[in-house]
Amino acid sequence: NAGVTQTPKFQVLKTGQSMTLQCAQDMNHEYMSWYRQDPGMGLRLIHYSVGAGITDQGEVPNGYNVSRSTTEDFPLRLLSAAPSQTSVYFCASSYYPTGGYEQYFGPGTRLTVT
Amino acid sequence: KQEVTQIPAALSVPEGENLVLNCSFTDSAIYNLQWFRQDPGKGLTSLLLIQSSQREQTSGRLNASLDKSSGRSTLYIAASQPGDSATYLCALGGGADGLTFGKGTHLIIQP
């Protein structure tokens, strides 16, 4: 299993540009989520999904859109990038009941918005 | 809203020492608690998962405890090694809706 994969690893955007961060998992996990990590702020939840077609907002959802059309994929869209969205983005997946919601993380995408 | 605090924020100890990292949280209605390790510029590696009904978990030189009544967890590292140098993150799970993280303890083990 590849686990949780994220693309791209690095990205530089200009203010106002749009892009999609890709996340995929091959473990048939029901639950997926996106986090951002900023110095001094720790990791914060952006959006999460409890299954295909079902998404909800986390702590810091503004400026981001998500959709979940398949169990495997959970892309994060930035519609109009802002310098405040410069961060490292992590995708995670988990399952229940035997997994007890243990979270598995991808390697991250480092995004810079100029 | 769940608040997670990790103390100390940074710690430097000589190789071979046993050490304890602390994590406190405000809401005891949790599904689980997970400890992660993060190396500079890298992703998160899961170290230990403690379910809400459990009191502790062990993996090699690592032991994590959970006391929901006091809102505390500790990560015990025995016989520390330079390779243990990393940032250690504590995270509380509310179920399917993701984790709430502490800001981490930056650990340096001096050779």
Side-chain angles (χ1 to χ4, degrees), chain A:
Chain A
N1 286 352
V4 180
T5 58
Q6 293 184 238
T7 56
K9 285 185 168 42
F10 301 94
Q11 183 71 48
V12 179
L13 289 178
K14 295 188 188 310
T15 297
Q17 286 184 320
S18 63
M19 79 159 296
T20 299
L21 308 186
Q22 301 292 345
C23 174
Q25 51 91 10
D26 61 359
M27 298 175 282
N28 201 32
H29 284 176
E30 264 185 283
Y31 312 113
M32 297 185 74
S33 48
W34 277 101
Y35 299 82
R36 61 177 288 174
Q37 185 175 34
D38 304 292
M41 299 296 295
L43 280 99
R44 292 176 293 169
L45 182 66
I46 305 172
H47 285 284
Y48 64 97
S49 169
V50 299
I54 307 170
T55 65
D56 206 345
Q57 297 181 350
E59 182 184 355
V60 289
N62 291 343
Y64 308 95
N65 280 354
V66 292
S67 60
R68 183 107 178 263
S69 56
T70 67
T71 299
E72 294 78 19
D73 301 297
F74 190 41
L76 178 72
R77 281 181 285 277
L78 285 70
L79 298 179
S80 179
S84 61
Q85 294 177 305
T86 294
S87 188
V88 181
Y89 291 85
F90 290 100
C91 178
S93 71
S94 65
Y95 68 105
Y96 193 85
T98 57
Y101 296 117
E102 181 173 10
Q103 300 273 336
Y104 295 79
F105 279 78
T109 294
R110 190 173 295 271
L111 176 67
T112 301
V113 183
T114 61

